[in-house]
Amino acid sequence: MALESGVVTAPAAVLGKMLKQARGAWTQWQQEAFSKRDAALAKMAARLEQAADELESVNAEEVQAARAAGLPPALLNRLALPAAAVGRLAQGLRALIALPDPLAQGRSLRVLPNGIRLEVVPVPLGVMALIFESRPGVTADAAGLALKSGNAVLLRGGREALKTNRLLARLLRDGLSEAGLPPDLVQLVDSADRAYVDALLHLDGLDLLIPRGGAGLIQRVKREATVPVIETGVGNCHVYVDQGANLDMALAIVRDAKVGNPAVCNAAETVLVHRAVAAEFLPRLEEVLGRHGVTLHAEPNALAYLSEAQAAEETAFESEYLSLDLAVRVVDDLEMAVDHIRQYGTGHSEAIVTNDYAAGLAFQRTVDAAVVYWNASTRFTDGGQFGFGTEVGISTQKLHARGPMGLAALTTDKTLAFGTGQTRDFPPTLD
Amino acid sequence: MALESGVVTAPAAVLGKMLKQARGAWTQWQQEAFSKRDAALAKMAARLEQAADELESVNAEEVQAARAAGLPPALLNRLALPAAAVGRLAQGLRALIALPDPLAQGRSLRVLPNGIRLEVVPVPLGVMALIFESRPGVTADAAGLALKSGNAVLLRGGREALKTNRLLARLLRDGLSEAGLPPDLVQLVDSADRAYVDALLHLDGLDLLIPRGGAGLIQRVKREATVPVIETGVGNCHVYVDQGANLDMALAIVRDAKVGNPAVCNAAETVLVHRAVAAEFLPRLEEVLGRHGVTLHAEPNALAYLSEAQAAEETAFESEYLSLDLAVRVVDDLEMAVDHIRQYGTGHSEAIVTNDYAAGLAFQRTVDAAVVYWNASTRFTDGGQFGFGTEVGISTQKLHARGPMGLAALTTDKTLAFGTGQTRDFPPTLD
């Protein structure tokens, strides 16, 4: 489709030009050793604060248009950027200033037997791009993360928030200029045309693409992208209540993991219950979660212990509900729980509740996920909670970064080799 | 094409079954904490040694068939596996036993303010696959690397070496069985059909694919693969002879980088010479390299100082010659050298020869490559030379691993979280 239409070649050309400008700006910055990062963050924050009212009013128009177009309330919420939220974005940029510089600390230093000294140092990836959906605040967050780690960034936000993003990008670029950095380090893909998403997936020369959004976007990127990608944020997380569990603790953990914030990727979507405790646990679970309006989707063995639950639909265990819905299954033993997670899990966060030492160890060893909890809620999988100060996203892939990503995930290694004329196969002097 | 033919679905089905078997074997091994790795390496080595003569004779038939089919001598050389080479493969497997266990050393250990203890530990990636070309020895090398790092591996070798690889795989699998491990941890894609390469690129569930081969294979994998990939070994490496260079040192380094082993990825393909030293350096370069049969491909400014060189063809600077050919260009200054490398380099290894402090630092800062040498040959970019004891390959990408890869490149992180009932948004006890 993209190949047949003459019109659709335009996005690739536009993005190619943006990438060239970003690379040019980045190369200039590289020659200055990525200086002025913190100064620019401060200027960017100040620009946002100064324009908070203007942002609020531009955004209010977009929210109104989206409401008129019939967008559901949850999406309208995510789209909204009141002045107070702008203040939080500015604070987020300033918080980056205080974080350790991800480019400052060398990774290793060795001297080879031949006298060559090898310094392995972190360097920025180069030019990255982010595809995100409704929340316009991501524009500022992502620009700040990219800048702090020495990267240029291309941003593609949601269509509904285009005007808000346009103003945000202008303010951030003004902040860069004011700090003496080239504004093309931050560029917005200024179009609602979906063809730009396609073109980003194939933007040759891009160093990294991070898709932030629902499972549909992530799957599409995984299938189609020819640029380096880090997949983030698809979480079909489980809590397994073992026969050795303290059931009060298990109830508190499941409640937290399901109800605390159902819309996020580290929320639990399925509870697996050992058959030995199902009769005692499940009625109590129904009672506790019922108070919070949670709908249980139970397979027959679980349904037997529940009075208000729905029969689990065929896709219940595959669903990342992101809502007050929870799938429930009774399992024969720990192995069946682990098998279930192997089949349905997305490698994000998994939890066991048990006081049985062997069961906890076995679960942690055999469940293949970024974070495996023993007697704690899955909701802690988060850059802030993990003490990284910020979060680039939560990687659900195994290469480069896994789990909550700090700023280091936006860097790579460079080895600097210092010699005095060393050669490998010939003498170091002429014959 | 692959979708239209009923026949072509077979490779995907065969590989899907192999992957399932590999995953099953790996899961069983995971439950035993990836034990018996070193014992299995010893058994595998012994099996190879016992069958050295049989391997030599099976291989000799394939070499003869390839010679009859008209394969060039360089390829015949790579295809050959005499008994002495089998001995070296066995030694390679035994050498892995002595290396530090890539799964043994935890990466970090922290206690969060809420009391949750986070252990970040290395874990194997899972099931990996390797596509390689003529050298059958890669079968044993790759199986050893995969095994030492706790991974199962699917191997797809060159068509000419299928019988040799088949025997090698059988011996390696026998070694695994003898050590009490499931033989399906190592499986050979036992077909000369190229459709299996396509199918590997799209084998959903594979944790890592490493292509080892020429630029054509790497480019194809990069363009088409939907599984996680590490690109290895495409090196268009440069030596820049600065005006501040010791020219004797520069000659020795260029000779080593070009002539030492022209067929490998860390060999130099282009020399860039500062105009201020071109008149003195280039005639000497021609004289020294001429003794080794090197053909120079020079652009006009360089050609003026050379008597036997060819005029550089249009693709001279893009070529990874992998032969006794060297492109030559005179540059106005360091910046032009860096720009040239930015345009033509593959991010592998780049070198500057200079005694000018500012020039060396600027080159190392602004050249974006895995390894940037100052007064040393590019030929040191190698796992063995870097002290890793072995080499998985040389990554030319920025994500996950860059430059020579040790065994750690075949692992990922898992975070084990130990709690005592912690919750994030609700109290840890029921109301």
Side-chain angles (χ1 to χ4, degrees):
Chain A
M1 177 178 70
L3 296 172
E4 284 169 297
S5 158
V7 183
V8 191
T9 58
V14 171
L15 288 173
K17 197 176 157 202
M18 287 173 69
L19 177 59
K20 202 173 164 187
Q21 286 168 200
R23 181 74 60 194
W26 183 78
T27 300
Q28 183 187 329
W29 194 24
Q30 183 192 43
Q31 278 157 6
E32 296 159 21
F34 307 106
S35 62
K36 302 176 193 158
R37 282 175 283 151
D38 289 341
L41 288 166
K43 299 289 186 191
M44 288 156 73
R47 291 278 179 165
L48 293 189
E49 281 173 339
Q50 285 155 18
D53 292 340
E54 190 186 351
L55 276 164
E56 181 176 84
S57 110
V58 167
N59 178 256
E61 280 177 39
E62 282 195 303
V63 172
Q64 205 175 338
R67 186 179 293 116
L71 254 72
L75 282 184
L76 293 177
N77 265 343
R78 276 191 254 169
L79 181 55
L81 192 71
V86 175
R88 286 194 294 275
L89 290 182
Q91 282 312 313
L93 292 172
R94 289 211 185 85
L96 289 170
I97 297 174
L99 288 183
D101 180 356
L103 305 179
Q105 181 63 53
R107 305 214 212 268
S108 75
L109 174 57
R110 273 170 304 146
V111 182
L112 301 183
N114 60 20
I116 290 178
R117 206 174 83 239
L118 296 182
E119 287 182 11
V120 183
V121 296
V123 292
L125 291 169
V127 183
M128 55 181 279
L130 201 83
I131 300 175
F132 54 102
E133 295 179 344
S134 43
R135 285 199 310 115
V138 174
T139 303
D141 291 344
L145 294 166
L147 193 76
K148 180 73 181 187
S149 51
N151 293 286
V153 67
L154 308 182
L155 297 162
R156 156 74 194 201
R159 297 136 63 96
E160 319 77 38
L162 185 58
K163 287 178 191 164
T164 310
N165 283 329
R166 192 179 286 153
L167 177 53
L168 279 167
R170 182 165 68 70
L171 295 164
L172 296 167
R173 288 165 58 93
D174 286 350
L176 286 167
S177 295
E178 206 182 336
L181 287 182
D184 281 344
L185 292 175
V186 174
Q187 296 177 61
L188 180 73
V189 178
D190 193 351
S191 164
D193 186 346
R194 275 173 202 269
Y196 281 88
V197 173
D198 280 318
L200 270 174
L201 304 189
H202 303 288
L203 184 57
D204 212 26
L206 194 64
D207 292 302
L208 173 64
L209 175 66
I210 301 181
R212 271 202 191 180
L217 173 66
I218 308 289
Q219 281 308 314
R220 181 172 160 211
V221 169
K222 187 174 168 180
R223 210 169 47 236
E224 297 181 17
T226 53
V227 296
V229 166
I230 299 181
E231 299 159 26
T232 65
V234 175
N236 189 8
C237 306
H238 303 74
V239 177
Y240 166 56
V241 181
D242 185 52
Q243 64 178 327
N246 172 328
L247 296 188
D248 286 342
M249 184 192 286
L251 283 169
I253 285 175
V254 173
R255 176 179 60 179
D256 187 72
K258 178 71 263 179
V259 184
N261 186 351
V264 293
C265 60
N266 58 21
E269 307 293 0
T270 297
V271 62
L272 302 166
V273 183
H274 193 287
R275 62 193 299 180
V277 295
E280 185 183 349
F281 181 75
L282 284 174
R284 292 186 65 195
L285 180 74
E286 181 163 48
E287 195 262 322
V288 168
L289 294 188
R291 277 185 249 153
H292 298 281
V294 174
T295 302
L296 300 181
H297 303 255
E299 50 75 47
N301 290 324
L303 208 53
Y305 302 109
L306 300 165
S307 55
E308 313 256 321
Q310 296 187 5
E313 56 276 36
E314 208 168 300
T315 58
F317 297 133
E318 293 153 22
S319 299
E320 193 184 356
Y321 290 111
L322 298 172
S323 58
L324 289 173
D325 292 85
L326 181 69
V328 187
R329 184 178 187 185
V330 172
V331 294
D332 293 343
D333 51 23
L334 182 137
E335 198 176 3
M336 187 171 162
V338 171
D339 282 344
H340 179 103
I341 292 168
R342 190 175 293 122
Q343 184 171 357
Y344 297 107
T346 53
H348 191 295
S349 301
E350 307 294 352
I352 183 174
V353 186
T354 192
N355 289 320
D356 181 315
Y357 184 68
L361 285 185
F363 187 87
Q364 285 192 321
R365 184 193 309 128
T366 51
V367 167
D368 206 19
V371 190
V372 188
Y373 292 91
W374 183 353
N375 289 350
S377 169
T378 55
R379 291 271 297 119
F380 292 106
T381 303
D382 172 280
Q385 292 290 327
F386 272 27
F388 298 162
T390 185
E391 181 181 288
V392 177
I394 295 173
S395 164
T396 51
Q397 65 184 38
K398 291 183 180 177
L399 297 191
H400 190 68
R402 196 181 199 199
M405 296 189 282
L407 289 165
L410 300 180
T411 68
T412 183
D413 287 352
K414 183 196 263 189
T415 300
L416 307 178
F418 298 83
T420 50
Q422 283 85 346
T423 50
R424 181 167 164 187
D425 301 297
F426 281 89
T429 52
L430 297 173
D431 314 326
Chain B
M1 179 179 67
L3 297 171
E4 284 169 298
S5 158
V7 182
V8 191
T9 58
V14 171
L15 288 174
K17 196 175 159 204
M18 288 172 69
L19 177 60
K20 203 174 164 186
Q21 286 169 202
R23 180 75 59 194
W26 184 78
T27 300
Q28 182 186 330
W29 196 22
Q30 183 192 41
Q31 279 157 6
E32 296 159 20
F34 308 106
S35 62
K36 302 175 192 158
R37 283 174 284 150
D38 289 342
L41 288 167
K43 298 289 186 194
M44 287 156 75
R47 290 279 180 165
L48 293 188
E49 281 174 339
Q50 286 155 17
D53 292 339
E54 190 187 352
L55 275 163
E56 180 175 84
S57 111
V58 167
N59 178 256
E61 280 177 38
E62 281 196 303
V63 172
Q64 204 174 340
R67 187 180 292 116
L71 254 72
L75 281 184
L76 294 176
N77 265 343
R78 277 190 254 169
L79 181 56
L81 191 71
V86 175
R88 285 193 294 274
L89 290 182
Q91 282 314 311
L93 292 173
R94 289 211 185 86
L96 288 171
I97 297 174
L99 287 183
D101 180 356
L103 305 179
Q105 180 63 53
R107 305 214 212 269
S108 74
L109 175 57
R110 273 169 305 147
V111 181
L112 302 183
N114 60 19
I116 290 178
R117 206 174 84 239
L118 296 181
E119 287 182 12
V120 183
V121 297
V123 293
L125 290 169
V127 183
M128 55 181 279
L130 201 83
I131 301 175
F132 54 103
E133 296 180 341
S134 42
R135 285 199 308 117
V138 173
T139 303
D141 290 344
L145 293 167
L147 193 75
K148 181 74 181 187
S149 50
N151 293 287
V153 67
L154 308 182
L155 298 161
R156 157 73 195 201
R159 297 138 62 97
E160 319 78 37
L162 184 58
K163 288 178 190 164
T164 310
N165 283 329
R166 191 179 286 152
L167 179 52
L168 279 166
R170 182 165 66 73
L171 295 163
L172 296 167
R173 288 164 58 92
D174 286 350
L176 285 167
S177 296
E178 207 182 336
L181 287 182
D184 281 344
L185 293 175
V186 174
Q187 296 178 61
L188 180 72
V189 178
D190 194 350
S191 165
D193 187 346
R194 275 172 202 268
Y196 281 87
V197 172
D198 280 319
L200 270 175
L201 304 190
H202 304 288
L203 185 57
D204 211 27
L206 194 64
D207 291 303
L208 173 65
L209 174 67
I210 299 181
R212 271 202 192 179
L217 174 65
I218 307 288
Q219 281 307 314
R220 182 173 161 211
V221 170
K222 187 175 168 179
R223 210 169 46 235
E224 297 180 18
T226 53
V227 297
V229 166
I230 298 181
E231 300 159 25
T232 64
V234 174
N236 188 8
C237 306
H238 302 75
V239 178
Y240 166 55
V241 181
D242 185 51
Q243 63 177 328
N246 172 328
L247 296 188
D248 286 343
M249 184 193 286
L251 283 168
I253 285 174
V254 174
R255 177 179 59 179
D256 186 73
K258 178 73 262 180
V259 184
N261 186 350
V264 293
C265 58
N266 58 20
E269 307 294 359
T270 297
V271 62
L272 302 167
V273 183
H274 192 288
R275 61 193 299 180
V277 296
E280 185 183 348
F281 181 75
L282 286 174
R284 293 186 66 194
L285 180 75
E286 180 163 50
E287 195 263 321
V288 169
L289 294 189
R291 276 184 249 153
H292 298 282
V294 175
T295 302
L296 301 181
H297 303 255
E299 51 75 46
N301 290 324
L303 208 54
Y305 301 110
L306 299 164
S307 55
E308 314 255 321
Q310 295 187 7
E313 56 276 36
E314 208 169 302
T315 57
F317 297 132
E318 293 153 22
S319 299
E320 192 183 357
Y321 290 111
L322 298 173
S323 58
L324 289 172
D325 292 86
L326 181 69
V328 187
R329 184 177 187 187
V330 173
V331 293
D332 294 341
D333 51 23
L334 181 137
E335 199 176 1
M336 187 171 161
V338 171
D339 282 344
H340 179 104
I341 293 168
R342 190 173 293 122
Q343 185 173 356
Y344 297 105
T346 53
H348 191 295
S349 301
E350 308 292 352
I352 183 173
V353 186
T354 193
N355 290 320
D356 182 316
Y357 184 68
L361 285 184
F363 187 87
Q364 285 191 321
R365 184 193 309 129
T366 52
V367 167
D368 206 19
V371 191
V372 188
Y373 292 91
W374 183 351
N375 290 347
S377 168
T378 55
R379 290 273 295 118
F380 291 106
T381 303
D382 173 280
Q385 292 290 327
F386 272 27
F388 299 162
T390 186
E391 180 182 288
V392 176
I394 295 173
S395 164
T396 51
Q397 64 184 38
K398 292 183 179 178
L399 296 190
H400 190 67
R402 197 181 198 197
M405 294 188 285
L407 290 165
L410 299 181
T411 68
T412 184
D413 288 351
K414 183 197 264 189
T415 300
L416 307 178
F418 298 84
T420 50
Q422 284 85 347
T423 49
R424 181 168 164 187
D425 301 297
F426 281 88
T429 52
L430 297 173
D431 315 326

